[in-house]
Amino acid sequence: WPIFMVNLYDVHRAGSWRATQRGVFFAAAAAGAVYLIVFFLQDGSIARRAILYFLAVTVVLTLVWRWIYIRVFTAPAFMRRVLVVGAGEGGKALLAASNLLDPRPFELVGLIDDNPEKQGLEIEGTPVRGSDGDLRGLAQQEGVTDIVVAIQGPISGEMFQALLDAQ
């Protein structure tokens, strides 16, 4: 049974109810097929009801546990809070890639960029919330757990110092 469910331990699949249902029912079908092969190779000497009950109870308990996991552990209180530094091409690519994740394994707080022209803009649905001078305060105020640096070019000394201070 666990061998058939190994794909469900991927983080993205573990947080998806649809993937969980598909995986659990596939595992039950595969386990049932293995049982039938063994049953007919042994000339019907293996108990049928016990295996059927085992599969049914295992499917129900696994679905209940996964439903609880999805409801509790993918709630915002348990998610990592991420602040992205850099609203240029690297930041845009990172945000575009993260927008494709479903469910998203983190909560995106916003972007930081030292370009004054980008202040107040929304990039890929995420606001630019400040510059290097705002990094430490914003990280503390928003309870940021991770800072992702998405700067492709050279980092200014002020931004580098702000990153060190925000650790």
Side-chain angles (χ1 to χ4, degrees), residues 19-162:
T20 295
Q21 287 178 317
R22 202 174 322 124
V24 168
F25 288 123
F26 170 76
V34 168
Y35 164 73
L36 288 176
I37 290 169
V38 172
F39 176 77
F40 286 114
L41 289 177
Q42 296 292 322
D43 297 325
S45 62
I46 300 174
R48 286 180 263 176
R49 282 191 197 150
I51 299 297
L52 179 65
Y53 292 152
F54 169 77
L55 282 176
V57 168
T58 305
V59 165
V60 168
L61 290 177
T62 302
L63 287 174
V64 167
W65 160 242
R66 287 301 182 113
W67 182 82
I68 291 169
Y69 172 84
I70 290 168
R71 294 292 170 239
V72 173
F73 294 110
T74 60
F78 287 99
M79 294 179 74
R80 303 187 72 78
R81 296 179 56 81
V82 175
L83 182 64
V84 177
V85 176
E89 293 304 315
K92 287 178 190 176
L94 183 69
L95 293 176
S98 73
N99 286 339
L100 297 176
L101 298 176
D102 185 36
R104 193 183 264 179
F106 53 83
E107 185 178 346
L108 197 54
V109 173
L111 292 156
I112 292 288
D113 198 287
D114 54 3
N115 183 346
E117 295 174 6
K118 294 182 180 175
Q119 301 304 314
L121 293 178
E122 266 198 21
I123 298 174
E124 295 285 336
T126 304
V128 178
R129 303 209 34 203
S131 65
D132 51 19
D134 305 314
L135 178 62
R136 186 173 182 186
L138 185 62
Q140 288 176 345
Q141 174 187 347
E142 292 291 335
V144 170
T145 58
D146 299 290
I147 296 175
V148 177
V149 179
I151 299 174
Q152 292 177 313
I155 298 177
S156 70
E158 294 83 14
M159 182 63 80
F160 187 74
Q161 187 60 50

